[in-house]
Amino acid sequence: MSVIEISGLHKAFGSLEVLRGIDLTVERGDVVCIIGPSGSGKSTLLRCVNLLEQPDSGKVVVDGTELTDPDVDIDKARRRLGMVFQSFNLFNHLTVLDNLTIAQRKVLGRSRDEAERIAKQNLEKVGLAGRERSMPSQLSGGQQQRAAIARALSMDPQVMLFDEPTSALDPELVGDVLGVMRALADEGMTMLVVTHEMQFAREVADTVLFMDGGVVVEQGPPAQVIGAPTQERTRTFLARVLNPTGDNP
């Protein structure tokens, strides 16, 4: 059963057409990794899924609700979607626990006790048990990103959207965040992931999308798109990403 259906999605910023007719269906429990060069429209696609960017045309349906319907209750519809950004977007003046409970209480109407119980469960899930009273500044970048994931999970989303969640991290911290994402995939969480981590995409994704110039150039299982791409543009991109020093003398 599909949980995300995108059809004919277009988005321009002024004269720059960033998305030029994207079609995508994501089945419940699937992990879709979106790869491609900078400026190809990957992050814009993700932001259009939860209407952080308003599409110019096309349709986005999440869990049976059309988010692009002008009459939709967008705040209610967005609750189905958890979003994790490149930058961690934690509230620096709040403890980790308060970061995880504030939206639960204000948006979902949970009591403080219930919100804290759910927050602690999710902090344990991402390996941050015992850091409830820490301030974000007391955490490493990787820990802050894991706290951001726990915050998104605390809202009980149907789908998790990840926009290059490891790109701001030191290399030695990337593995911990990817480990949390692998565990979520193993649990059956539907995930849409913009990433440059090719090994993660190869091992975890059910489907890989290669985007360039605002279109989907190639789409399929990772063994095909990463292992044996059919499009020359995909092959060129992967050669540079997988062997970044290959052009050096």
Side-chain angles (χ1 to χ4, degrees), residues 43-218:
S43 293
T44 301
L45 172 58
L46 216 61
R47 293 173 68 85
C48 283
V49 170
N50 67 357
L51 264 61
L52 287 176
E53 297 289 354
Q54 183 70 43
D56 296 327
S57 62
K59 183 185 292 187
V60 177
V61 178
V62 176
D63 204 25
T65 298
E66 184 188 341
L67 272 63
T68 41
D69 182 338
D71 297 324
V72 75
D73 182 343
I74 188 60
D75 291 329
K76 183 177 180 181
R78 275 202 190 112
R79 295 176 196 172
R80 296 178 168 93
L81 298 161
M83 182 92 180
V84 178
F85 300 87
Q86 297 178 39
S87 54
F88 322 123
N89 288 8
L90 297 174
F91 295 112
N92 289 322
H93 65 291
L94 298 178
T95 65
V96 169
L97 186 63
D98 287 341
N99 265 281
L100 268 67
T101 57
I102 186 170
Q104 291 188 67
R105 295 170 61 202
K106 290 183 177 295
V107 177
L108 301 182
R110 288 173 177 161
S111 68
R112 178 183 293 275
D113 286 348
E114 183 184 14
E116 290 189 354
R117 176 181 60 79
I118 291 168
K120 289 175 181 177
Q121 286 176 349
N122 285 305
L123 286 170
E124 184 173 0
K125 178 179 287 190
V126 302
L128 290 177
R131 300 307 300 265
E132 294 88 353
R133 302 299 172 188
S134 298
M135 303 300 288
S137 62
Q138 296 173 304
L139 304 180
S140 70
Q143 289 171 328
Q144 289 187 59
Q145 190 62 293
R146 284 185 279 148
I149 294 172
R151 178 178 59 184
L153 291 174
S154 294
M155 301 297 287
D156 298 333
Q158 297 295 308
V159 179
M160 286 287 286
L161 308 176
F162 292 89
D163 187 7
E164 298 191 27
T166 60
S167 64
L169 301 180
D170 293 332
E172 68 269 21
L173 302 176
V174 168
D176 290 339
V177 172
L178 293 180
V180 169
M181 295 170 65
R182 286 173 195 267
L184 290 177
D186 289 342
E187 292 174 5
M189 175 63 75
T190 308
M191 295 162 58
L192 202 53
V193 184
V194 172
T195 185
H196 287 104
E197 301 291 339
M198 293 301 136
Q199 192 64 25
F200 175 84
R202 192 193 300 267
E203 294 175 358
V204 179
D206 296 287
T207 300
V208 174
L209 254 68
F210 172 65
M211 289 184 63
D212 191 30
V215 300
V216 177
V217 176
E218 192 159 358

Side-chain angles (χ1 to χ4, degrees), residues 11-59:
K11 177 64 181 178
F13 297 101
S15 61
L16 179 63
E17 198 172 8
V18 179
L19 299 178
R20 299 189 291 147
I22 302 294
D23 299 307
L24 174 64
T25 298
V26 182
E27 301 298 321
R28 192 173 302 280
D30 275 4
V31 177
V32 176
C33 285
I34 305 169
I35 64 172
S38 296
S40 59
K42 307 183 302 295
S43 293
T44 301
L45 172 58
L46 216 61
R47 293 173 68 85
C48 283
V49 170
N50 67 357
L51 264 61
L52 287 176
E53 297 289 354
Q54 183 70 43
D56 296 327
S57 62
K59 183 185 292 187

Side-chain angles (χ1 to χ4, degrees), residues 198-246:
M198 293 301 136
Q199 192 64 25
F200 175 84
R202 192 193 300 267
E203 294 175 358
V204 179
D206 296 287
T207 300
V208 174
L209 254 68
F210 172 65
M211 289 184 63
D212 191 30
V215 300
V216 177
V217 176
E218 192 159 358
Q219 173 180 348
Q224 173 204 315
V225 177
I226 298 176
T230 60
Q231 301 298 312
E232 180 60 33
R233 182 66 188 93
T234 315
R235 289 195 289 269
T236 302
F237 170 78
L238 289 170
R240 290 176 175 165
V241 171
L242 298 174
N243 185 23
T245 60

